[in-house]
Amino acid sequence: MNRYVFGPVSSRRLGKSLGIDLLPYKTCSYNCVYCECGATTDLTITRQDFFPLKDILAELDRVLVKKPNLDYITFAGSGEPTLSRLLGPVIRHLKEHYPWYHVAVLTNGTLCMLPEVRSDLLPADLIIPTIPASDQAMQDRIFRPYHNISVSSIKSGLVALRKEFSGQLWAEVFLVPGINTGKDELIHSRETIISIRPDLIQLNSLDRPGTEPWVCPVQRLELIQIRDFFAETGIPTDIAGFGQRGGFFSHTHEHLVIS
Ligand code: SF4
């Protein structure tokens, strides 16, 4: 039984995807109301190794030596992948020994203000960060972050990442009906996205029970209207799992979803 590697799973966004989980459950800099993995038990911004690098690489090698047919190897799982200091070493190992695989990182973006985190991410092929809320009050309401993470620092980190990262950057907007689907909030999100200049905007919404029972999915018609509003930026805009049963997933849930 594997401890760090899961799947491959069939992911609508990433095709056939092998997951890597570098974190103990549930370690995150956010405690999102919509998190489908449950409440964050270790709310932190402290980067750690968490597990021995040699154990992770040995397990990865055992799986990859069989040369599985994959579209992506994806860092996701039990929390925020950039909290692991081993993210960079594991990505570099993959790129050195298995350069034919594409590497994706699903992140909440909160630590991208740190140069060392951006440096860890640079060898990846695809980064999917979650866009922060329009202001601190909304941020605290939806994402319930570690106490000293500011919206402005997250935005600056993502803008800096875009400048340094030449791979694919897809901006995820997680929509919670009645909370961040109003006109003002959408305008702010769109402005944030324009400043980051992603290659793709991905709208996401609840697909299975979140941490808070009052969170519900956005209705199809409203999703289409919101998609059209974001598409006015000229940036391709997609709805995650659109038209499919069980197709949504946010950056931690790839291992739980067969889309
Ligand atoms: S959805 Fe992602 S960022 Fe939010 S609490 Fe869950 S693991 Fe953390």
Side-chain angles (χ1 to χ4, degrees):
M1 171 126 176
N2 290 334
R3 167 65 187 84
Y4 311 105
V5 179
F6 57 89
V9 295
S10 182
S11 151
R12 188 190 68 83
R13 295 201 286 189
L14 300 176
K16 196 171 180 191
S17 170
L18 185 77
I20 305 180
D21 185 359
L22 301 178
L23 300 161
Y25 180 87
K26 183 182 168 240
T27 309
C28 196
S29 46
Y30 277 171
N31 182 22
C32 303
V33 293
Y34 59 79
C35 186
E36 296 165 3
C37 288
T40 297
T41 48
D42 186 5
L43 186 65
T44 181
I45 54 168
T46 304
R47 301 190 81 208
Q48 298 179 49
D49 289 1
F50 295 110
F51 302 108
L53 178 62
K54 66 174 178 39
D55 292 357
I56 297 167
L57 297 184
E59 187 174 300
L60 204 43
D61 289 341
R62 272 201 307 276
V63 173
L64 293 180
V65 76
K66 298 173 193 155
K67 296 192 167 69
N69 181 24
L70 301 170
D71 295 303
Y72 278 97
I73 297 175
T74 306
F75 289 83
S78 303
E80 169 50 36
T82 61
L83 281 168
S84 171
R85 283 193 305 222
L86 303 182
L87 177 65
V90 177
I91 296 178
R92 289 197 293 278
H93 177 83
L94 288 169
K95 284 295 165 190
E96 184 178 341
H97 298 281
Y98 310 95
W100 48 89
Y101 288 125
H102 290 111
V103 173
V105 182
L106 311 184
T107 174
N108 64 24
T110 51
L111 273 71
C112 289
M113 80 278 267
L114 301 173
E116 61 270 28
V117 168
R118 298 199 298 275
S119 168
D120 279 353
L121 288 167
L122 291 189
D125 300 286
L126 168 64
I127 303 171
I128 308 181
T130 306
I131 298 305
S134 57
D135 58 37
Q136 202 61 44
M138 185 63 77
Q139 180 79 356
D140 293 346
R141 195 166 172 198
I142 298 174
F143 301 115
R144 302 185 296 194
Y146 185 83
H147 64 84
N148 62 356
I149 303 178
S150 73
V151 169
S152 59
S153 70
I154 299 170
K155 287 183 190 170
S156 308
L158 293 175
V159 169
L161 177 67
R162 171 73 291 181
K163 283 188 184 142
E164 296 166 16
F165 177 61
S166 57
Q168 284 283 305
L169 189 77
W170 298 354
E172 179 195 65
V173 182
F174 202 101
L175 296 163
V176 182
I179 304 294
N180 65 350
T181 51
K183 193 173 172 193
D184 288 349
E185 183 64 23
L186 293 175
I187 289 171
H188 281 297
S189 291
R190 195 165 76 168
E191 286 167 357
T192 300
I193 286 171
I194 289 169
S195 71
I196 295 168
R197 297 184 295 106
D199 300 287
L200 181 76
I201 301 169
Q202 258 189 341
L203 306 180
N204 211 343
S205 178
L206 196 73
D207 182 52
R208 58 197 62 224
T211 298
E212 300 301 335
W214 53 263
V215 178
C216 47
V218 180
Q219 295 305 306
R220 183 187 175 101
L221 180 60
E222 189 176 13
L223 270 176
I224 292 170
Q225 290 167 339
I226 294 172
R227 179 194 62 193
D228 293 347
F229 175 75
F230 279 97
E232 287 170 11
T233 58
I235 301 168
T237 304
D238 191 17
I239 299 172
F242 190 57
Q244 300 194 16
R245 185 176 162 276
F248 293 115
F249 67 94
S250 59
H251 74 267
T252 58
H253 312 130
E254 188 175 1
H255 59 303
L256 301 176
V257 174
I258 305 298
S259 58

